Amino acid sequence: MFFKPWNLRRDLYLVASLFLLSSVAYSAAPATMRLDYYHTGNATAEMFGLDRVVIEPLPWPGDLSKTIDDSNLGNYFFEVRDQASGRLLYSRGFGSLFSEWSQTGEAKKLNRTFSESLRFPAPTALVKITLKERKEGKDATFHEVWSMTVDPKDKFIDRVNPPSPGALMTIQKMGEPATKVDLLILGDGYTAAERGKFEQDAKRATEILFSRSPFREHRHDFNVWALCPPAEQSGTSRPSTGVYRHSPLGTSYDTFDSERYMMTNDNHALRDVASYAPYEFIEILANAKTYGGGGIFNLYATVAIDSEWAPYVFVHEFGHHFAGLADEYYTSDVSYLPATQRMEPWEPNVTALLEPAILKWKNLVAPGTPLPTPWHKAEFEAYEHEIQAERHHIRAENQPESGMDALFEKEKKHEDELLATDRYSDHVGAFEGANYESRGYYRPQENCIMFTRYDRFCAVCRHAIEQVIGMYAAQ
């Protein structure tokens, strides 16, 4: 089809007008309000206390027609309701560092305090904010644990912008923030001289994410932004080897005394830096080479970007953060204590299989597939025990990272071959061994990036990711 020149000019004018209108709509969005609070407790008790209410520098980035969360994901859930009418204005599920820490042995011995945040469109009238939690030993529903009212006219709301972390980088813009999933990549442990390295790392990470299905098919649904506050020293802390850095976001290895677990407890720094970008999800690139990372649903994910295994760790941990996917592995060391009783997990990719007839992913199970589903479980476990012994030896001897990389390469090759040779290897079923436990929990397919260093998500994980994309991106 051929167009006359005046038609082409008209079409370009219309496109430009639509972009202008969408930009105006974003600037006219409500402000972003954030409630920072302290979460204190131990393995059996907890309490909450207000820190501050903040108005962030940028308008609310989300779709105002998608403010209610009906996904039933997360250990926690919060609601914002109009105080006068009781009308629900906003809700979201999420996870927290406190929730993970409370399942460790340390939580049985002492109390700790974590800073946490709730973000939502700034209201115009008095609102009640209610925080709810799922409790082990109770049913799977949320129970209220804290509430407070917020008056948007309160003179004590913090309206002073924090120091700018530097210019916002646009890695990928597919549309205005309200119409897309907005992913923010943050750099930690990069000096001012390494800003160029961070930009290249952020672009590399973006390509890694969108090389994996279903992110690949939904690339057009994502904006990707980046910020990199300059660090005084290059790198991040690794206490187990005597390395300490005062990085801007406080990212560190050895979280909960797990040498590969890399998180930050500095929620204030994280939120102040992130407030200079439109975002719903955060990925922190740690300027580090040793294998490590972490991810918590609707909080943030991290990766040591210079590790040989950064592509796997990034995508795996982002699966936790983005879609609430559970770890399906169970032979590696973790800090968490075993569950005291079997409950059906809220995570979409693991099950206690208490009632096989109503398996949460039953619609993806082919007729004739047995539940539970047989696989090379004993052979897999025997091999993994040998691998873990070698892994402990490498770390105990503080050997070069190349030794660990070679071990993981050997392990991956063996796993990929073994887990592809069962009768039901390509089926969705219920394969025992998941959620850090050998018995009593089941995963959907024999292999998945949430189980091993496999390069793909299983069918159930892909479906879960697409459900979350639909919560934020215009369809």
Side-chain angles (χ1 to χ4, degrees):
M1 179 179 291
F2 295 92
F3 294 93
K4 296 179 180 179
W6 68 269
N7 278 335
L8 178 59
R9 287 197 298 271
R10 180 200 63 191
D11 292 345
L12 292 174
Y13 172 78
L14 287 174
V15 170
S17 299
L18 287 173
F19 273 104
L20 177 61
L21 287 172
S22 61
S23 298
V24 170
Y26 175 54
S27 64
T32 300
M33 181 173 280
R34 191 180 79 239
L35 190 158
D36 295 341
Y37 62 96
Y38 292 114
H39 192 169
T40 299
N42 51 46
T44 58
E46 61 187 331
M47 64 180 297
F48 305 85
L50 174 65
D51 176 14
R52 60 180 179 169
V53 179
V54 175
I55 295 296
E56 294 189 347
L58 298 186
W60 180 250
D63 186 340
L64 292 175
S65 70
K66 296 183 177 183
T67 57
I68 309 304
D69 181 358
D70 60 1
S71 67
N72 196 37
L73 297 177
N75 294 108
Y76 295 90
F77 185 81
F78 79 97
E79 296 178 337
V80 180
R81 291 185 180 271
D82 179 74
Q83 177 74 0
S85 66
R87 182 168 64 92
L88 181 60
L89 305 176
Y90 188 83
S91 62
R92 276 301 179 271
F94 65 100
S96 75
L97 264 178
F98 176 91
S99 179
E100 290 199 351
W101 173 77
S102 68
Q103 300 172 58
T104 68
E106 184 183 68
K108 293 181 176 293
K109 304 172 185 176
L110 53 82
N111 294 335
R112 286 190 65 179
T113 297
F114 294 80
S115 170
E116 299 174 357
S117 297
L118 309 176
R119 296 174 71 241
F120 48 93
T124 58
L126 196 69
V127 293
K128 180 180 180 181
I129 300 174
T130 303
L131 180 62
K132 301 181 178 182
E133 180 183 5
R134 301 180 205 261
K135 292 283 193 179
E136 185 178 340
K138 294 187 177 182
D139 56 40
T141 59
F142 290 101
H143 300 265
E144 181 178 332
V145 291
W146 185 55
S147 68
M148 65 168 293
T149 58
V150 172
D151 183 352
K153 299 181 178 63
D154 189 337
K155 63 179 177 293
F156 293 113
I157 291 176
D158 188 348
R159 294 174 168 85
V160 178
N161 293 339
S164 170
L168 178 66
M169 306 176 198
T170 303
I171 305 299
Q172 167 180 301
K173 185 176 182 183
M174 295 295 186
E176 290 308 306
T179 67
K180 302 298 175 182
V181 181
D182 288 287
L183 167 61
L184 172 59
I185 298 178
L186 297 178
D188 198 26
Y190 293 82
T191 64
E194 293 176 308
R195 182 178 174 84
K197 176 184 184 302
F198 168 73
E199 186 169 1
Q200 292 305 311
D201 288 346
K203 290 177 179 178
R204 174 163 57 96
T206 298
E207 294 307 315
I208 289 169
L209 181 65
F210 293 115
S211 71
R212 302 299 204 279
S213 181
F215 294 108
R216 178 174 60 245
E217 294 83 354
H218 289 274
R219 184 167 189 160
H220 64 281
D221 289 320
F222 284 77
N223 291 331
V224 183
W225 316 93
L227 287 168
C228 187
E232 295 179 0
Q233 293 178 286
S234 181
T236 57
S237 293
R238 192 177 173 215
S240 58
T241 58
V243 175
Y244 298 92
R245 296 286 186 271
H246 190 262
S247 59
L249 302 179
T251 308
S252 176
Y253 290 90
D254 299 297
T255 299
F256 305 155
D257 206 22
S258 175
E259 54 90 12
R260 70 182 185 278
Y261 198 21
M262 173 185 283
M263 304 297 278
T264 175
N265 288 326
D266 197 344
N267 181 61
H268 272 192
L270 174 69
R271 294 300 175 181
D272 283 352
V273 169
S275 69
Y276 278 93
Y279 76 92
E280 283 118 3
F281 300 94
I282 296 174
E283 177 71 36
I284 301 174
L285 305 187
N287 190 21
K289 186 175 182 179
T290 302
Y291 183 98
I296 294 179
F297 176 56
N298 229 349
L299 183 61
Y300 60 83
T302 72
V303 61
I305 193 59
D306 289 331
S307 164
E308 181 177 321
W309 293 91
Y312 154 72
V313 175
F314 172 32
V315 177
H316 172 99
E317 300 297 349
F318 194 71
H320 291 311
H321 171 45
F322 187 79
L325 301 179
D327 279 318
E328 297 176 6
Y329 62 79
Y330 62 92
T331 56
S332 297
D333 292 338
V334 295
S335 299
Y336 315 119
L337 299 177
T340 57
Q341 60 179 314
R342 291 286 180 268
M343 291 178 56
E344 181 59 24
W346 60 264
E347 293 90 342
N349 63 318
V350 291
T351 179
L353 202 64
L354 301 175
E355 299 182 65
I358 56 171
L359 177 64
K360 66 178 79 172
W361 54 75
K362 190 173 180 60
N363 62 314
L364 297 176
V365 178
T369 304
L371 302 174
T373 313
W375 66 290
H376 286 310
K377 188 171 186 291
E379 185 177 346
F380 175 84
E381 291 173 356
Y383 179 76
E384 288 302 313
H385 290 151
E386 294 176 5
I387 289 291
Q388 292 307 311
E390 290 185 57
R391 181 174 181 169
H392 294 159
H393 177 73
I394 290 172
R395 285 293 183 243
E397 297 292 321
N398 198 22
Q399 295 182 18
E401 193 65 12
S402 58
M404 188 69 77
D405 292 337
L407 176 66
F408 288 159
E409 187 64 49
K410 181 180 74 170
E411 180 185 26
K412 174 176 166 44
K413 183 177 185 298
H414 180 88
E415 289 170 341
D416 285 354
E417 293 174 354
L418 176 66
L419 300 178
T421 58
D422 280 316
R423 178 180 177 183
Y424 299 102
S425 292
D426 60 347
H427 286 56
V428 174
F431 298 82
E432 189 174 36
N435 210 28
Y436 314 131
E437 298 196 36
S438 173
R439 303 289 179 188
Y441 286 112
Y442 303 77
R443 61 190 189 279
Q445 287 194 246
E446 189 160 357
N447 210 356
C448 175
I449 200 170
M450 302 310 294
F451 180 51
T452 70
R453 294 177 187 84
Y454 197 48
D455 60 1
R456 292 190 292 276
F457 287 104
C458 71
V460 170
C461 290
R462 291 196 301 271
H463 177 73
I465 290 168
E466 290 182 321
Q467 292 292 103
V468 175
I469 293 172
M471 290 176 59
Y472 294 92
Q475 303 297 302

